[in-house]
């Protein structure tokens, strides 16, 4: 064999090994923070942290103008909160269903469980945690699944979210058994397959090895050291067997999501204590497998090794719940929203690329910019309180006000519709129960809560044109991502009601009525 042939063999082998190995970016260590936000975040002007307040103000103004359905937008740079905006009716106190950000929390808990000795390592075999459990479809591929394959969504379980099999898990009495019964026709560790069942198995394992629920373990080992308030049972959904939902179901406030992100930005360290092993943070935020399109995936984090910021990684949740971390810029961005998107969100990508990242102009303080800071504060206040003058009512409002419409049979069980409008009033009143239990609709761009305690919703509305009135409806408590639009189109003696369901909840319902 020639020397040239040997060189070719070694080059080929190197390429194969590189393709199978995680992509390791240059290690980036952020500076030690001036303080720890355990008791709460300290605020700063953007300019003091090298950012342009005018660009950030323009971003919030655009979100408000376009009614983008972003609920909160937080930016932390160098450990200081430079932007904290909540869009009415959401506030700092609102606990949001963070959807698949739950997965990244599960990833952290797995790392803690390994460090504490409950689990040997991420290389431990999945089935070793279920030694006495019978399951269908045994085989070499299933026996080869390790915890790292669950963490990197490369287990080869055919349970991709939004597929038929992915939907069936939630319809069974044992989600764990469902996952273990699935056939595994391909070797694990090769292909990305997004599946809520992977982190749910990890949650079940954490509960088995620690003797605590995942929620209790998180409160004790993760949330408490960070100063995150105790997560109660009502703030973490469970499966039918009582296992904390590993794929979604956790409720947290945006400021607490920022603390979780800051722990990762600080390589797992918090107030001198190593909450997460530094190795685990590094291993979790590098690419182990490529998604079919776009970025890669680490240990329950999305990573962007080929982007303009190759150290960028993110926790992405359904409908626009997102955490973005840029270690080289000492930057955290937290967004909660109700967007019509499953994972990637073009609306958020737009504001990151057009406003947030361009706003970073220096690693040191910029000159003071009182005009820009004032504009940013005004934009934050507009988001909080978007009150507007009440528009003049169209002629048809007087014609239909107080008129009772009888509705055809419908899934909502509404029998009648009556709406009252008064010239100059900042609210209208509505009922689908003849003239009883009238609820208010804000006409000044401010939501009004239902009058009766048992009616857990709030509404605002406006006239789209001379014959169509649009009601924006939000279920309470806030944070459930459960809202819809109800459009009333009047024509002569008739009304057509179009009810758009919450996102991903089916097709609109059309109800007709007459008076």
């Amino acid at each position: 064999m020639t020397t040239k042939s040997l060189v070719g063999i070694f080059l080929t082998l190197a390429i194969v090994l590189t393709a199978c190995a995680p992509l390791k970016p240059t290690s980036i260590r952020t500076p030690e923070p001036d303080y720890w936000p355990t008791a709460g975040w300290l605020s700063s002007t953007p300019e003091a942290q090298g950012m342009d307040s005018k660009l950030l103000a323009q971003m919030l103004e655009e979100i408000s103008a376009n009614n983008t359905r972003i609920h909160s937008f937080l930016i932390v740079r160098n450990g200081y909160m430079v932007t904290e905006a909540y869009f009415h009716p959401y506030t700092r106190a609102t606990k949001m269903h963070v959807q698949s950000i739950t997965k990244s929390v599960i990833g952290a808990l797995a790392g803690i469980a390994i460090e504490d000795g409950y689990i040997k390592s991420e290389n431990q075999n999945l089935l070793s945690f279920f030694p006495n459990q019978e399951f269908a479809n045994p085989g070499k591929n299933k026996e080869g699944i390790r915890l790292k394959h669950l963490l990197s969504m490369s287990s080869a379980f055919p349970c991709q979210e939004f597929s038929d099999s992915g939907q069936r898990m939630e319809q069974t009495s044992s989600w764990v058994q469902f996952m273990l019964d699935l056939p595994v026709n391909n070797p694990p560790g090769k292909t990305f397959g997004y599946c809520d069942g992977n982190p749910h198995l990890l949650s079940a394992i954490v509960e088995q090895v620690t003797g605590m629920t995942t929620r209790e373990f998180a409160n004790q080992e993760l949330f408490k050291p960070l100063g995150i308030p105790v997560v109660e049972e009502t703030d973490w959904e469970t499966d039918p067997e009582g296992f904390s939902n590993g794929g979604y179901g956790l409720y947290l406030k945006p400021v607490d999501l920022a603390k979780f992100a800051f722990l990762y930005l600080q390589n797992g360290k918090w107030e001198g204590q190593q909450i997460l092993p530094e190795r685990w943070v590094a291993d979790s935020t590098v690419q182990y497998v490529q998604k079919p399109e776009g970025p890669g995936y680490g240990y329950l984090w999305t990573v962007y090794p080929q982007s303009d910021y190759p150290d960028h990684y993110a926790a992405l949740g359904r409908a626009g719940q997102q955490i973005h971390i840029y270690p080289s810029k000492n930057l955290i961005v937290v967004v909660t929203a109700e967007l019509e998107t499953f994972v990637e969100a073009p609306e958020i990508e737009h504001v990151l690329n057009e406003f947030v990242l361009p706003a970073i102009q220096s690693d040191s303080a910029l000159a003071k910019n009182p005009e820009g800071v004032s504009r940013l504060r005004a934009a934050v206040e507009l988001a909080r309180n978007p009150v507007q003058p009440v528009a003049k009512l169209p002629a048809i409002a007087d014609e239909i006000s107080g008129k009772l419409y009888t509705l055809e049979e419908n899934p909502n069980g509404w029998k009648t519709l009556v709406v009252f409008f008064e010239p100059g009033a900042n609210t209208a009143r509505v009922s689908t129960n003849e003239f009883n239990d009238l609820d208010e609709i804000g006409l000044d761009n401010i939501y009004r809560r239902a009058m009766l305690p048992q009616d857990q919703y709030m509404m605002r509305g406006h006239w789209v044109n001379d014959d169509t009135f649009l009601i924006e409806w939000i279920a309470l408590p806030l944070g459930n991502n459960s809202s819809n639009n109800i459009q009333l189109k009047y024509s002569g003696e008739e009304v057509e009601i179009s009810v758009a369901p919450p996102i991903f909840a089916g097709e609109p319902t059309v109800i007709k009525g007459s008076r």
Side-chain angles (χ1 to χ4, degrees):
M1 184 177 291
T2 65
T3 303
K4 185 176 181 180
S5 298
L6 286 171
V7 171
I9 290 173
F10 284 121
L11 284 174
T12 301
L13 181 60
I15 291 170
V16 170
L17 291 174
T18 301
C20 297
L23 300 176
K24 296 284 186 181
T26 303
S27 178
I28 296 174
R29 303 189 65 84
T30 54
E32 186 81 9
D34 296 339
Y35 76 105
W36 292 93
T38 312
W41 290 97
L42 297 183
S43 298
S44 168
T45 65
E47 277 72 20
Q49 307 306 323
M51 298 185 73
D52 180 3
S53 54
K54 179 181 176 181
L55 269 176
L56 300 181
Q58 289 174 344
M59 174 191 71
L60 297 182
E61 291 164 357
E62 180 181 288
I63 293 171
S64 292
N66 294 340
N67 194 21
T68 309
R69 300 181 79 175
I70 284 176
H71 297 158
S72 68
F73 206 104
L74 280 60
I75 302 173
V76 176
R77 188 162 200 231
N78 302 329
Y80 289 87
M81 188 76 70
V82 299
T83 299
E84 184 180 2
Y86 301 95
F87 293 81
H88 173 77
Y90 302 88
T91 70
R92 178 187 280 189
T94 304
K95 294 179 181 178
M96 294 298 304
H97 182 193
V98 302
Q99 300 284 354
S100 288
I101 293 177
T102 307
K103 294 177 173 67
S104 301
V105 173
I106 292 292
L109 296 177
I112 294 172
I114 290 171
E115 181 67 12
D116 290 351
Y118 293 110
I119 298 171
K120 294 177 182 177
S121 79
E122 64 267 38
N123 289 309
Q124 196 165 345
N125 189 281
L126 166 65
L127 298 182
S128 68
F129 294 96
F130 305 94
N132 300 316
Q133 191 156 340
E134 295 183 1
F135 52 85
N137 300 300
K140 181 179 179 180
N141 288 330
K142 187 177 292 186
E143 293 170 359
I145 297 174
R146 303 184 184 278
L147 298 191
K148 65 182 180 182
H149 299 135
L150 302 178
L151 288 159
S152 59
M153 294 288 185
S154 63
S155 65
F157 278 125
C159 56
Q160 283 72 27
E161 192 171 358
F162 320 123
S163 69
D164 290 340
S165 59
Q167 290 298 316
R168 285 199 301 270
M169 183 182 78
E170 282 83 359
Q171 297 169 6
T172 66
S173 60
S174 174
W175 296 6
V176 171
Q177 186 67 50
F178 171 85
M179 289 297 299
L180 294 178
D181 281 342
L182 286 173
V184 182
N185 297 323
N186 298 303
K190 303 294 184 181
T191 306
F192 178 81
Y194 194 77
C195 168
D196 290 328
N198 287 320
H200 192 67
L201 285 173
L202 287 168
S203 178
I205 289 168
V206 167
E207 297 200 7
Q208 288 185 191
V209 299
T210 65
M212 293 179 271
T213 67
T214 299
R215 178 185 62 83
E216 292 168 337
F217 187 64
N219 280 330
Q220 176 178 297
E221 301 295 330
L222 178 61
F223 296 149
K224 183 178 179 180
L226 274 54
I228 295 175
V230 170
V231 174
E232 305 291 348
E233 289 185 36
T234 53
D235 291 328
W236 199 328
E237 298 169 3
T238 60
D239 75 0
E241 295 178 297
F243 291 118
S244 301
N245 190 335
Y248 52 92
L250 175 62
Y251 288 73
L252 287 174
K253 292 181 289 186
V255 289
D256 294 329
L257 291 177
K259 287 183 178 181
F260 177 63
F262 198 60
L263 175 67
Y264 272 78
L265 187 64
Q266 294 300 320
N267 298 299
K269 188 177 180 181
W270 195 275
E271 288 196 291
Q273 182 182 357
Q274 199 71 41
I275 306 298
L276 272 177
E278 185 172 344
R279 174 197 71 85
W280 188 258
V281 174
D283 288 349
S284 298
T285 57
V286 297
Q287 179 175 314
Y288 278 84
V289 63
Q290 178 68 46
K291 290 185 178 183
E293 296 180 2
Y297 207 72
Y299 283 171
L300 299 174
W301 287 87
T302 292
V303 297
Y304 301 83
Q306 308 303 324
S307 70
D308 292 338
Y309 297 88
D311 61 327
H312 173 205
Y313 57 96
L316 305 178
R318 184 174 179 172
Q321 325 316 312
Q322 298 192 356
I323 295 171
H324 291 268
I325 302 176
Y326 301 83
S328 62
K329 295 299 180 183
N330 206 349
L331 178 73
I332 293 167
V333 179
V334 173
V335 186
T336 62
E338 191 172 359
L339 305 173
E340 294 186 7
T341 180
F342 287 109
V343 180
E344 307 292 342
E347 300 92 336
I348 297 174
E349 183 179 346
H350 164 71
V351 295
L352 288 174
N353 293 332
E354 298 298 322
F355 296 105
V356 177
L357 295 174
I360 301 173
Q361 299 185 356
S362 175
D363 290 334
S364 56
L366 302 173
K368 292 183 178 181
N369 182 3
E371 181 180 347
V373 171
S374 177
R375 182 173 173 179
L376 177 58
R377 288 173 178 165
V380 170
E381 176 60 21
L382 176 64
R384 186 193 71 83
N385 181 28
V387 63
Q388 294 178 1
V390 178
K392 182 180 178 180
L393 296 175
I396 200 171
D398 181 60
E399 179 185 337
I400 60 94
S401 180
K403 300 297 192 301
L404 187 69
Y405 289 79
T406 301
L407 306 179
E408 63 184 15
E409 187 175 349
N410 60 84
N412 296 338
W414 297 344
K415 304 296 184 182
T416 59
L417 171 72
V418 61
V419 187
F420 288 90
F421 292 97
E422 297 178 15
N426 61 4
T427 63
R429 292 174 296 153
V430 63
S431 176
T432 55
N433 182 23
E434 294 191 350
F435 293 97
N436 301 315
D437 305 335
L438 288 164
D439 286 319
E440 288 187 325
I441 306 170
L443 300 179
D444 52 2
N445 207 34
I446 301 297
Y447 285 92
R448 299 301 196 277
R449 181 165 181 161
M451 302 296 288
L452 298 177
Q454 66 267 26
D455 294 333
Q456 297 296 306
Y457 54 85
M458 56 201 318
M459 295 181 291
R460 69 181 179 186
H462 66 277
W463 286 93
V464 177
N465 53 44
D466 289 343
D467 62 9
T468 304
F469 184 67
L470 182 68
I471 301 172
E472 298 175 77
W473 180 96
I474 297 180
L476 297 174
L478 293 173
N480 290 313
N481 278 335
S482 182
S483 67
N484 59 19
N485 290 339
I486 304 171
Q487 181 176 280
L488 312 179
K489 184 176 178 61
Y490 293 93
S491 177
E493 301 291 310
E494 298 181 343
V495 64
E496 182 177 277
I497 307 173
S498 297
V499 183
I503 54 173
F504 315 120
E507 297 298 321
T509 301
V510 177
I511 306 167
K512 294 185 178 181
S514 60
R515 69 177 197 244

